[in-house]
């Protein structure tokens, strides 16, 4: 159990699989636990791969901007503190239009020839600091999402595609990260979740930074921040896991 004051300890949470079940909403019980038990004892923040709108969807709206001290969408490439946007990185400016179009054209061509059990819409989603590639399309139903997740586990659709992209774009400084059930993120090297730590270190002095995440294996979108020496990291399998570790860490009975 930590004896640090609220302003000395930062708890940083992944969203999917950590505060919520995959692509689900936070439960009322867990939300109440975070806001009434955890928040009074520590500084709290979220760092997710998705954009801010998806965070709003999963965590019950814009109140997260007030409740969490830090909100880091898109791996922290957008930085929000106390509800105010403090900075934003841009992948278009970084890569340039020619490289971007070469990549997008290759991805769409590859996906057009890929045979899957089904395909829906939105195969490539463009965000400030990354691209999200989804072989079956993000407009799938919950049932289709679960079906593809099982199919991908067996056939390694995403992993095989990433291997081909790494070879084809070896000249471009890109990182590929599998998160969630149906897609993977693509972003410049160093633009993983450790990007949020750059902002924190530049502006704050915490004695401990704890990170909670589920995709902590190599290639998972929590891996880099999980192994970063600046964090004390906790691997979780579900929100129940997160709650249990928080109770132990903060001495909540």
């Amino acid at each position: 159990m930590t004896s640090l004051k609220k302003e000395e300890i930062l708890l940083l949470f992944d969203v999917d699989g950590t505060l919520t079940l995959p692509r689900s909403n936070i439960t009322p019980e867990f939300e109440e636990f975070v806001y009434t038990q955890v928040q009074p004892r520590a500084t709290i923040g979220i760092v997710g791969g998705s954009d801010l709108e998806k965070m709003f969807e999963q965590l019950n709206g814009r109140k997260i901007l007030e409740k969490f001290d830090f909100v880091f969408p898109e791996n922290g490439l957008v930085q929000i503190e106390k509800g105010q946007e403090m900075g934003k990185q841009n992948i278009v400016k970084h890569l340039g239009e020619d490289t971007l179009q070469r990549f997008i054209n290759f991805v769409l061509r590859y996906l057009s020839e890929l045979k899957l059990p089904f395909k829906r819409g939105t195969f490539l989603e463009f965000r400030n600091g990354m691209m999200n590639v989804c072989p079956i399309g993000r407009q799938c139903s919950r049932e289709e999402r679960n079906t593809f997740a099982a199919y991908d586990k067996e056939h390694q659709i995403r992993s095989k595609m990433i291997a081909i992209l790494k070879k084809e774009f070896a000249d471009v400084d890109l990182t590929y990260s599998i998160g969630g059930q149906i897609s993977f993120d693509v972003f410049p090297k160093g633009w993983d979740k450790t990007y949020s730590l750059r902002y924190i270190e530049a502006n704050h002095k915490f004695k401990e930074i704890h990170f909670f995440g589920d995709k902590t294996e190599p290639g998972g979108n929590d891996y880099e921040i999980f192994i970063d020496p600046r964090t004390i990291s906790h691997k979780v399998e579900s929100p129940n896991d997160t709650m249990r570790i928080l109770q132990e860490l903060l001495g909540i009975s």
Side-chain angles (χ1 to χ4, degrees):
M1 175 185 152
T2 183
S3 57
L4 295 174
K5 296 174 187 166
K6 177 181 167 73
E7 62 274 9
E8 294 176 324
I9 180 171
L10 170 62
L11 308 178
L12 263 184
F13 302 96
D14 165 52
V15 180
D16 240 22
T18 303
L19 295 180
T20 76
L21 293 172
R23 288 309 296 153
S24 300
N25 290 357
I26 192 168
T27 64
E29 298 77 20
F30 190 58
E31 184 180 52
E32 187 185 1
F33 170 75
V34 171
Y35 294 156
T36 63
Q37 299 292 317
V38 179
Q39 190 190 34
R41 292 173 166 87
T43 305
I44 58 175
I46 41 179
V47 53
S50 59
D51 59 28
L52 188 57
E53 287 303 316
K54 287 194 178 64
M55 285 185 166
F56 288 158
E57 280 174 34
Q58 288 185 264
L59 300 173
N60 291 339
R62 301 184 64 86
K63 64 180 166 188
I64 60 171
L65 299 177
E66 300 163 30
K67 297 287 191 181
F68 285 88
D69 300 281
F70 301 100
V71 177
F72 294 118
E74 303 184 40
N75 287 353
L77 296 164
V78 180
Q79 302 107 36
I80 300 168
E81 182 175 355
K82 308 286 189 197
Q84 299 295 313
E85 187 179 295
M86 309 301 285
K88 185 186 285 184
Q89 191 52 272
N90 188 296
I91 194 172
V92 181
K93 208 183 292 181
H94 184 84
L95 291 181
E97 192 60 41
D98 287 350
T99 299
L100 209 51
Q101 284 202 36
R102 179 160 73 92
F103 182 85
I104 290 169
N105 290 346
F106 186 90
V107 165
L108 295 178
R109 197 160 50 241
Y110 180 91
L111 291 177
S112 75
E113 295 167 1
L114 188 63
K115 181 76 174 76
L116 296 172
F118 46 81
K119 287 182 181 176
R120 298 300 176 251
T122 312
F123 300 98
L124 192 145
E125 189 174 84
F126 206 80
R127 300 171 184 169
N128 285 300
M130 67 176 74
M131 289 170 283
N132 179 266
V133 178
C134 182
I136 63 159
R138 296 197 69 87
Q139 291 173 314
C140 57
S141 67
R142 177 64 54 82
E143 189 183 347
E144 288 165 341
R145 168 186 285 274
N146 293 337
T147 301
F148 177 78
Y151 185 84
D152 184 57
K153 199 169 185 180
E154 184 182 348
H155 298 282
Q156 300 294 304
I157 300 299
R158 291 181 291 176
S159 297
K160 287 173 184 173
M161 185 173 179
I162 286 170
I164 288 165
L165 287 169
K166 279 182 176 176
K167 192 174 175 184
E168 182 68 22
F169 294 92
D171 60 315
V172 185
D173 203 22
L174 292 173
T175 296
Y176 303 85
S177 181
I178 292 175
Q181 294 177 294
I182 59 173
S183 64
F184 61 90
D185 294 328
V186 185
F187 45 84
K189 279 198 173 71
W191 287 23
D192 51 64
K193 287 184 179 176
T194 60
Y195 205 91
S196 63
L197 300 178
R198 294 191 203 184
Y199 175 82
I200 292 161
E201 276 200 321
N203 297 283
H204 299 275
K205 293 282 181 282
F206 290 104
K207 288 193 175 171
E208 287 180 9
I209 300 174
H210 290 255
F211 172 73
F212 296 76
D214 66 320
K215 299 286 185 194
T216 59
E217 64 289 338
N221 68 349
D222 295 323
Y223 176 70
E224 289 84 3
I225 192 168
F226 184 78
I227 63 164
D228 194 286
R230 292 169 290 184
T231 63
I232 300 166
S233 292
H234 309 274
K235 178 173 175 55
V236 301
E237 302 290 341
S238 68
N240 286 342
D241 252 5
T242 307
M243 184 186 281
R244 177 183 54 77
I245 295 167
L246 286 168
Q247 286 170 331
E248 291 170 9
L249 180 68
L250 300 172
I252 300 168
S253 53

